[in-house]
Protein backbone atom coordinates (compact mmCIF):
# COMPACT_ATOMS: atom_id res chain seq x y z
CA UNK A 1 0.00 0.00 0.00
CA UNK A 2 1.48 3.35 -0.99
CA UNK A 3 1.87 6.47 1.04
CA UNK A 4 -0.94 9.01 1.10
CA UNK A 5 1.28 11.94 0.19
CA UNK A 6 -0.58 13.63 -2.65
CA UNK A 7 0.73 13.51 -6.15
CA UNK A 8 1.20 16.47 -8.46
CA UNK A 9 2.82 19.80 -7.71
CA UNK A 10 3.31 20.38 -4.02
CA UNK A 11 2.27 23.94 -3.24
CA UNK A 12 3.06 23.96 0.47
CA UNK A 13 5.73 21.40 1.24
CA UNK A 14 9.20 21.11 -0.19
CA UNK A 15 11.62 23.79 -1.23
CA UNK A 16 10.28 26.53 -3.46
CA UNK A 17 12.74 27.24 -6.22
CA UNK A 18 11.56 30.03 -8.49
CA UNK A 19 14.92 30.69 -10.09
CA UNK A 20 17.12 27.84 -8.98
CA UNK A 21 20.88 28.04 -8.67
CA UNK A 22 23.86 28.50 -10.92
CA UNK A 23 25.12 24.91 -10.68
CA UNK A 24 26.27 23.27 -13.88
CA UNK A 25 26.73 19.60 -14.53
CA UNK A 26 28.68 17.46 -16.90
CA UNK A 27 27.62 14.10 -18.23
CA UNK A 28 29.25 11.11 -19.86
CA UNK A 29 28.15 9.49 -23.08
CA UNK A 30 24.34 9.51 -23.33
CA UNK A 31 22.76 6.12 -22.59
CA UNK A 32 19.40 6.05 -24.37
CA UNK A 33 17.17 3.39 -22.81
CA UNK A 34 13.83 4.22 -24.44
CA UNK A 35 12.55 6.36 -27.32
CA UNK A 36 8.98 6.80 -28.51
CA UNK A 37 8.69 8.76 -31.77
CA UNK A 38 4.90 8.26 -32.11
CA UNK A 39 5.39 7.95 -35.87
CA UNK A 40 2.73 5.85 -37.58
CA UNK A 41 5.22 3.09 -38.39
CA UNK A 42 5.70 2.43 -34.67
CA UNK A 43 1.95 2.16 -33.94
CA UNK A 44 0.17 -1.20 -33.70
CA UNK A 45 -3.45 -0.72 -32.70
CA UNK A 46 -3.37 1.10 -29.35
CA UNK A 47 0.32 0.42 -28.70
CA UNK A 48 3.33 2.54 -29.69
CA UNK A 49 6.66 0.74 -29.89
CA UNK A 50 9.89 1.93 -28.27
CA UNK A 51 12.33 2.44 -31.14
CA UNK A 52 15.37 2.01 -28.86
CA UNK A 53 14.36 -1.63 -28.54
CA UNK A 54 14.67 -2.06 -24.77
CA UNK A 55 11.57 -0.33 -23.36
CA UNK A 56 7.92 -1.39 -23.35
CA UNK A 57 5.27 -0.14 -25.77
CA UNK A 58 3.32 2.95 -24.74
CA UNK A 59 -0.35 2.06 -24.31
CA UNK A 60 -2.79 4.64 -25.67
CA UNK A 61 -5.88 5.43 -23.63
CA UNK A 62 -9.28 5.28 -25.31
CA UNK A 63 -9.24 8.92 -26.40
CA UNK A 64 -5.52 9.53 -27.02
CA UNK A 65 -4.70 9.84 -30.70
CA UNK A 66 -1.78 9.70 -33.09
CA UNK A 67 -2.06 12.70 -35.43
CA UNK A 68 0.15 14.58 -37.91
CA UNK A 69 2.96 16.40 -36.12
CA UNK A 70 5.74 18.72 -37.11
CA UNK A 71 7.69 15.95 -38.83
CA UNK A 72 5.93 12.62 -38.95
CA UNK A 73 3.30 11.99 -36.31
CA UNK A 74 2.75 13.04 -32.69
CA UNK A 75 0.68 12.06 -29.65
CA UNK A 76 -2.46 14.20 -29.15
CA UNK A 77 -3.57 14.68 -25.54
CA UNK A 78 -5.92 16.85 -23.47
CA UNK A 79 -8.29 16.60 -20.52
CA UNK A 80 -8.49 12.95 -19.46
CA UNK A 81 -6.54 11.68 -22.46
CA UNK A 82 -3.40 9.76 -21.62
CA UNK A 83 -0.85 7.21 -22.72
CA UNK A 84 0.76 4.91 -20.16
CA UNK A 85 4.19 3.33 -20.38
CA UNK A 86 4.27 0.28 -18.08
CA UNK A 87 6.83 0.03 -15.30
CA UNK A 88 9.82 -2.12 -16.22
CA UNK A 89 13.26 -2.67 -14.64
CA UNK A 90 15.06 -0.70 -17.37
CA UNK A 91 12.87 2.34 -16.66
CA UNK A 92 13.76 2.52 -12.96
CA UNK A 93 15.44 5.93 -12.81
CA UNK A 94 18.42 6.19 -10.47
CA UNK A 95 19.79 9.49 -9.16
CA UNK A 96 23.11 7.76 -8.43
CA UNK A 97 23.75 7.03 -12.11
CA UNK A 98 21.78 10.05 -13.31
CA UNK A 99 18.80 10.14 -15.63
CA UNK A 100 17.17 12.41 -18.20
CA UNK A 101 13.71 12.73 -19.74
CA UNK A 102 13.38 14.78 -22.94
CA UNK A 103 10.52 15.49 -25.33
CA UNK A 104 8.96 18.08 -27.61
CA UNK A 105 5.57 19.56 -26.83
CA UNK A 106 3.09 21.90 -28.50
CA UNK A 107 0.57 23.34 -26.05
CA UNK A 108 -2.70 24.31 -27.74
CA UNK A 109 -4.68 25.78 -24.81
CA UNK A 110 -4.23 28.72 -22.46
CA UNK A 111 -4.07 28.16 -18.67
CA UNK A 112 -7.31 26.67 -17.33
CA UNK A 113 -7.03 27.46 -13.61
CA UNK A 114 -5.68 24.08 -12.53
CA UNK A 115 -2.46 22.13 -12.82
CA UNK A 116 -2.12 20.14 -16.04
CA UNK A 117 0.19 17.16 -16.28
CA UNK A 118 2.69 16.55 -19.06
CA UNK A 119 4.70 13.64 -17.65
CA UNK A 120 4.25 11.81 -14.35
CA UNK A 121 6.17 8.80 -13.02
CA UNK A 122 5.34 7.67 -9.47
CA UNK A 123 7.70 5.89 -7.12
CA UNK A 124 5.54 2.80 -7.59
CA UNK A 125 2.13 2.10 -9.06
CA UNK A 126 0.22 2.75 -5.82
CA UNK A 127 2.47 5.46 -4.41
CA UNK A 128 1.49 9.13 -4.69
CA UNK A 129 5.11 10.32 -4.61
CA UNK A 130 6.89 10.70 -7.92
CA UNK A 131 8.59 12.64 -10.67
CA UNK A 132 6.36 15.07 -12.49
CA UNK A 133 6.23 17.92 -14.97
CA UNK A 134 3.15 20.15 -14.87
CA UNK A 135 1.89 23.41 -16.34
CA UNK A 136 0.97 26.14 -13.86
CA UNK A 137 -2.76 26.82 -13.33
CA UNK A 138 -2.41 30.50 -14.25
CA UNK A 139 0.73 30.73 -16.40
CA UNK A 140 2.48 29.01 -19.29
CA UNK A 141 5.34 27.93 -17.02
CA UNK A 142 6.50 24.50 -15.94
CA UNK A 143 6.99 22.95 -12.54
CA UNK A 144 9.31 19.94 -12.29
CA UNK A 145 9.12 17.94 -9.08
CA UNK A 146 10.91 15.04 -7.41
CA UNK A 147 10.43 13.40 -4.05
CA UNK A 148 13.46 13.05 -1.81
CA UNK A 149 13.71 11.14 1.46
CA UNK A 150 12.79 14.43 3.18
CA UNK A 151 9.80 15.26 0.98
CA UNK A 152 9.06 17.07 -2.30
CA UNK A 153 11.56 19.32 -4.01
CA UNK A 154 10.77 21.26 -7.16
CA UNK A 155 12.00 23.68 -9.79
CA UNK A 156 9.87 26.32 -11.52
CA UNK A 157 10.76 27.40 -15.03
CA UNK A 158 11.46 31.01 -15.86
CA UNK A 159 10.92 30.77 -19.62
CA UNK A 160 7.22 30.73 -20.58
CA UNK A 161 5.95 28.32 -23.19
CA UNK A 162 4.04 29.82 -26.11
CA UNK A 163 0.64 28.45 -27.07
CA UNK A 164 0.76 26.92 -30.53
CA UNK A 165 4.56 26.69 -30.75
CA UNK A 166 6.77 23.63 -30.39
CA UNK A 167 9.05 23.62 -27.35
CA UNK A 168 11.77 21.15 -26.44
CA UNK A 169 11.91 20.18 -22.76
CA UNK A 170 14.61 18.21 -20.95
CA UNK A 171 14.63 17.31 -17.26
CA UNK A 172 18.01 16.08 -16.00
CA UNK A 173 18.80 14.67 -12.55
CA UNK A 174 22.05 13.59 -10.92
CA UNK A 175 23.57 13.53 -7.44
CA UNK A 176 24.18 17.28 -7.55
CA UNK A 177 20.70 18.44 -8.43
CA UNK A 178 17.94 18.73 -11.01
CA UNK A 179 18.19 20.75 -14.19
CA UNK A 180 15.34 21.94 -16.38
CA UNK A 181 16.12 22.89 -19.98
CA UNK A 182 13.84 24.77 -22.36
CA UNK A 183 14.68 24.77 -26.09
CA UNK A 184 18.21 23.54 -25.44
CA UNK A 185 19.16 26.13 -22.84
CA UNK A 186 19.45 25.62 -19.09
CA UNK A 187 16.45 27.43 -17.64
CA UNK A 188 16.72 26.56 -13.94
CA UNK A 189 18.96 24.39 -11.76
CA UNK A 190 18.21 23.34 -8.20
CA UNK A 191 20.61 21.53 -5.84
CA UNK A 192 19.34 18.39 -4.12
CA UNK A 193 20.43 18.14 -0.51
CA UNK A 194 18.75 14.78 0.08
CA UNK A 195 18.58 11.53 -1.87
CA UNK A 196 15.80 11.16 -4.44
CA UNK A 197 13.25 8.40 -3.89
CA UNK A 198 13.64 6.37 -7.07
CA UNK A 199 10.66 6.73 -9.44
CA UNK A 200 10.09 3.15 -10.61
CA UNK A 201 6.39 3.19 -11.49
CA UNK A 202 4.71 3.57 -14.89
CA UNK A 203 5.03 6.75 -16.94
CA UNK A 204 1.85 8.72 -17.53
CA UNK A 205 1.78 11.03 -20.54
CA UNK A 206 -1.01 13.59 -20.33
CA UNK A 207 -3.55 13.01 -17.57
CA UNK A 208 -2.34 11.24 -14.43
CA UNK A 209 -4.39 9.57 -11.69
CA UNK A 210 -5.35 12.80 -9.89
CA UNK A 211 -4.93 15.58 -12.45
CA UNK A 212 -5.96 16.41 -16.03
CA UNK A 213 -3.44 16.49 -18.81
CA UNK A 214 -2.30 19.36 -20.97
CA UNK A 215 -4.04 20.02 -24.24
CA UNK A 216 -1.74 19.63 -27.23
CA UNK A 217 0.82 17.41 -28.90
CA UNK A 218 3.84 15.48 -27.60
CA UNK A 219 6.62 14.09 -29.74
CA UNK A 220 10.01 12.38 -29.55
CA UNK A 221 9.95 11.21 -25.93
CA UNK A 222 13.36 9.94 -24.81
CA UNK A 223 14.55 8.46 -21.52
CA UNK A 224 18.24 8.23 -20.68
CA UNK A 225 20.01 6.33 -17.91
CA UNK A 226 22.54 9.16 -17.70
CA UNK A 227 22.44 12.85 -16.85
CA UNK A 228 22.73 14.66 -20.19
CA UNK A 229 25.05 17.65 -20.25
CA UNK A 230 24.16 20.96 -21.80
CA UNK A 231 25.79 20.15 -25.13
CA UNK A 232 23.79 16.91 -25.48
CA UNK A 233 20.52 18.65 -24.61
CA UNK A 234 21.24 21.44 -27.07
CA UNK A 235 21.89 18.87 -29.81
CA UNK A 236 18.52 17.21 -29.10
CA UNK A 237 16.70 20.53 -29.29
CA UNK A 238 18.42 21.46 -32.53
CA UNK A 239 17.53 18.06 -33.97
CA UNK A 240 13.90 18.88 -33.18
CA UNK A 241 14.19 22.19 -35.01
CA UNK A 242 13.99 24.59 -32.05
Amino acid sequence: MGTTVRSGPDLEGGAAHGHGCAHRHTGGDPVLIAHWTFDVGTVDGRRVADTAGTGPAAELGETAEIVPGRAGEALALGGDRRAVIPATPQLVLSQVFGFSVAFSVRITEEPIGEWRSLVYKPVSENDARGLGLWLYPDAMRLRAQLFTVKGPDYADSRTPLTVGEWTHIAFVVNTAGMFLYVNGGLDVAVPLEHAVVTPAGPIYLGSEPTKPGFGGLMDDLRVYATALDEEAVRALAEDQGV
Side-chain angles (χ1 to χ4, degrees), residues 210-223:
T210 64
K211 290 187 172 51
F214 77 98
L217 305 180
M218 179 177 287
D219 198 8
D220 198 57
L221 173 66
R222 300 169 182 249
V223 180

Side-chain angles (χ1 to χ4, degrees), residues 5 10 12 39 53 59 70-71 73 75 79 128 142 148 168-169 173 178-179 182 186 189 192 195-196 207 214 217 235:
V5 175
D10 188 280
E12 298 175 2
D39 288 338
E59 300 172 359
R70 181 174 49 188
E73 285 71 46
L75 174 64
L142 291 173
T148 74
H168 187 264
I169 304 297
V173 178
M178 52 180 165
F179 308 83
V182 177
L186 181 60
L192 291 168
V196 171
S207 70
F214 77 98
L217 305 180

Side-chain angles (χ1 to χ4, degrees), residues 3-65:
T3 177
T4 57
V5 175
R6 66 189 178 93
S7 67
D10 188 280
L11 304 183
E12 298 175 2
H17 299 291
H19 297 286
C21 64
H23 285 208
R24 300 285 173 169
H25 72 288
T26 57
D29 292 335
V31 179
L32 180 66
I33 55 174
H35 182 197
W36 295 271
T37 65
F38 303 108
D39 288 338
V40 68
T42 68
V43 179
D44 182 9
R46 305 299 295 171
R47 294 166 59 86
V48 181
D50 159 40
T51 61
T54 59
E59 300 172 359
L60 302 179
E62 291 183 4
T63 55
E65 298 179 282

Side-chain angles (χ1 to χ4, degrees), residues 96-177:
V96 174
F97 298 104
F99 62 85
S100 308
V101 178
F103 56 92
S104 291
V105 64
R106 181 176 179 265
I107 309 297
T108 57
E109 62 181 6
E110 298 285 350
I112 62 173
E114 58 183 321
W115 295 95
R116 293 166 291 163
S117 178
L118 283 80
V119 177
Y120 180 66
K121 182 173 175 59
V123 169
S124 63
E125 191 148 7
N126 296 313
D127 197 316
R129 299 170 297 170
L131 173 159
L133 287 162
W134 297 271
L135 282 168
Y136 257 71
D138 57 355
M140 292 296 292
R141 294 170 56 219
L142 291 173
R143 169 162 289 184
Q145 180 176 287
L146 293 170
F147 264 83
T148 74
V149 295
K150 293 295 185 179
D153 215 341
Y154 54 84
D156 292 329
S157 70
R158 292 174 290 183
T159 303
L161 280 64
T162 301
V163 172
E165 292 186 5
W166 282 97
T167 304
H168 187 264
I169 304 297
F171 185 47
V172 178
V173 178
N174 62 15
T175 54

